Amino acid sequence: MHTLAFQWRTYSEGMADPQNSVDEILSTVRGGARRVTVAKRTVAEVLVEASGHLTVDEVTLAVQDRRPDVSPSTVYRILEEFEELKIVVHTHLGQSAAVYHLSGAVHGHLTCEVCNYTMQIPAAHFDVLGKDLQKTYGFLLDRHHVAISGTCAHCQSVRRHNT
Amino acid sequence: MHTLAFQWRTYSEGMADPQNSVDEILSTVRGGARRVTVAKRTVAEVLVEASGHLTVDEVTLAVQDRRPDVSPSTVYRILEEFEELKIVVHTHLGQSAAVYHLSGAVHGHLTCEVCNYTMQIPAAHFDVLGKDLQKTYGFLLDRHHVAISGTCAHCQSVRRHNT
DNA sequence: TTAGATGCAAAGACTTTGCGCACTT
DNA sequence: AAGTGCGCAAAGTCTTTGCATCTAA
């Protein structure tokens, strides 16, 4: 997998502001009759601060950076709980591990198959497709899980230069 | 995972006929300077006969049904080779294992998150989205890897009845 | 003949689970 | 005090790899 120096900017114009604060997450946890723990608070902080998507491993490393005693299995369990509570969603982007992110802000993913970078885009892009699929097949598109593979502008131009 | 009695029909109207015969696959293998073996022929047969997508495990079982001596690792290697040769493509649909299918016929996937059934649909549905993404983000959509999650018509009506 | 393909088994990557102690409420 | 949540370690699933043997060309 490539590491990417250049980063796409996240197109957030027109997106509702997520308002995903740590406190908000934790009160959702309380509302779900679960307990608020240090590990959960730390996972919440990591998710809020990393605006993008993270693999479980990345979440774990970031959490352990602050709380070295939190185990990977706990992170798995917390993310599973957060998903039940609709705090996060996860998607399988490339071939490998699942990526998680806060559900509030996210609409769709575009993943570049060359450099592996993923950008998030507003849901509006899927309106037409969603209506089309609904009408044609009765299929109700899940906006939280839309993940499109392809080639980003940068890698397309690199390919052109090398060919 | 649920097993589904009812099956969606595959919407193939308007799709170019794949012409994916076993012979065609094997000549692609020869063209790629690879050898044609019993295992490869059997994998090719399985892929041609199963018009839909299959997990590696399903391919392996179907192959072993005819050639019990073919090992799973060989199936992985053959599918990897077939993918290099553009004979098949694979996608990660749900959470679990990758699914493979012949590249000729396939355009996009709609996977139901409830019953887990996947239907294939013509590429035309992604034309508008593809142009939009190209124009807005310079992103070139990969038609072979489009996988959309959501809820199928059947499971939507079931949910309505149960709620 | 001989380089590529395979079978077997082990290793790897990612994720889940059982159990007893710790911590939240 | 009561019961959820956690760390640890083991197990599970899916996939890859090393190596000796076999086989297509």
Side-chain angles (χ1 to χ4, degrees):
Chain A
M1 179 186 305
H2 306 218
T3 314
L4 191 62
F6 130 93
Q7 296 267 306
W8 286 339
R9 96 193 154 92
T10 298
Y11 287 77
S12 49
E13 297 91 337
M15 295 166 73
D17 208 309
Q19 299 291 358
N20 275 308
S21 69
V22 173
D23 287 343
E24 206 176 347
I25 292 173
L26 297 182
S27 74
T28 303
V29 171
R30 288 195 192 87
R34 316 300 179 90
R35 292 179 181 177
V36 172
T37 64
V38 173
K40 288 183 195 177
R41 170 170 281 115
T42 312
V43 170
E45 288 169 3
V46 166
L47 290 172
V48 168
E49 288 167 25
S51 53
H53 56 281
L54 297 172
T55 63
V56 179
D57 199 51
E58 288 165 344
V59 174
T60 303
L61 290 175
V63 167
Q64 290 183 334
D65 199 49
R66 308 177 189 193
R67 309 279 172 175
D69 49 320
V70 175
S71 75
S73 59
T74 298
V75 174
Y76 272 101
R77 279 191 273 232
I78 290 175
L79 288 173
E80 189 184 358
E81 177 183 320
F82 280 12
E83 188 149 38
E84 279 172 27
L85 296 171
K86 314 282 186 200
I87 295 167
V88 301
V89 292
H90 87 280
T91 316
H92 279 258
L93 296 172
Q95 330 295 14
S96 49
V99 295
Y100 286 78
H101 51 63
L102 294 171
S103 57
V106 175
H107 306 290
H109 297 104
L110 303 184
T111 302
C112 177
E113 293 166 337
V114 180
C115 68
N116 228 53
Y117 187 75
T118 296
M119 68 184 302
Q120 297 175 6
I121 61 171
H125 291 287
F126 303 108
D127 284 349
V128 173
L129 178 66
K131 278 176 195 159
D132 177 21
L133 298 181
Q134 175 79 62
K135 196 167 160 185
T136 313
Y137 308 110
F139 185 88
L140 182 63
L141 178 154
D142 176 356
R143 293 184 160 202
H144 286 309
H145 279 264
V146 180
I148 304 288
S149 293
T151 314
C152 74
H154 179 252
C155 291
Q156 284 175 60
S157 64
V158 169
R159 176 173 299 178
R160 269 196 295 277
H161 286 296
N162 296 345
T163 313
Chain B
M1 180 188 303
H2 306 216
T3 313
L4 191 62
F6 130 93
Q7 295 266 306
W8 286 340
R9 94 192 155 93
T10 299
Y11 287 76
S12 49
E13 298 90 338
M15 294 166 72
D17 209 310
Q19 300 290 359
N20 276 307
S21 68
V22 172
D23 288 343
E24 205 176 349
I25 292 172
L26 297 182
S27 74
T28 303
V29 171
R30 288 195 192 87
R34 316 301 179 89
R35 293 181 181 173
V36 172
T37 63
V38 173
K40 289 182 192 176
R41 170 169 280 114
T42 312
V43 170
E45 288 168 3
V46 166
L47 290 173
V48 169
E49 287 166 27
S51 53
H53 56 281
L54 297 173
T55 63
V56 179
D57 198 51
E58 288 165 344
V59 174
T60 302
L61 290 175
V63 167
Q64 290 182 335
D65 200 49
R66 306 177 192 193
R67 310 278 172 174
D69 49 321
V70 175
S71 75
S73 59
T74 297
V75 173
Y76 272 100
R77 281 190 273 231
I78 290 174
L79 288 173
E80 190 184 357
E81 176 184 320
F82 280 12
E83 187 149 38
E84 280 173 28
L85 296 172
K86 314 283 186 199
I87 295 167
V88 300
V89 292
H90 87 279
T91 317
H92 279 257
L93 295 172
Q95 329 296 12
S96 49
V99 295
Y100 286 78
H101 51 63
L102 294 171
S103 58
V106 174
H107 306 289
H109 298 103
L110 303 185
T111 301
C112 177
E113 293 166 337
V114 179
C115 68
N116 228 54
Y117 186 75
T118 296
M119 69 185 300
Q120 298 175 6
I121 61 170
H125 290 288
F126 304 107
D127 285 350
V128 173
L129 178 66
K131 277 177 195 160
D132 177 20
L133 297 181
Q134 174 75 260
K135 196 168 162 184
T136 313
Y137 308 111
F139 185 88
L140 182 63
L141 178 153
D142 176 357
R143 294 184 160 202
H144 285 309
H145 279 263
V146 180
I148 305 287
S149 292
T151 313
C152 74
H154 180 252
C155 291
Q156 284 176 61
S157 64
V158 169
R159 177 173 299 177
R160 269 196 295 279
H161 285 298
N162 296 345
T163 313

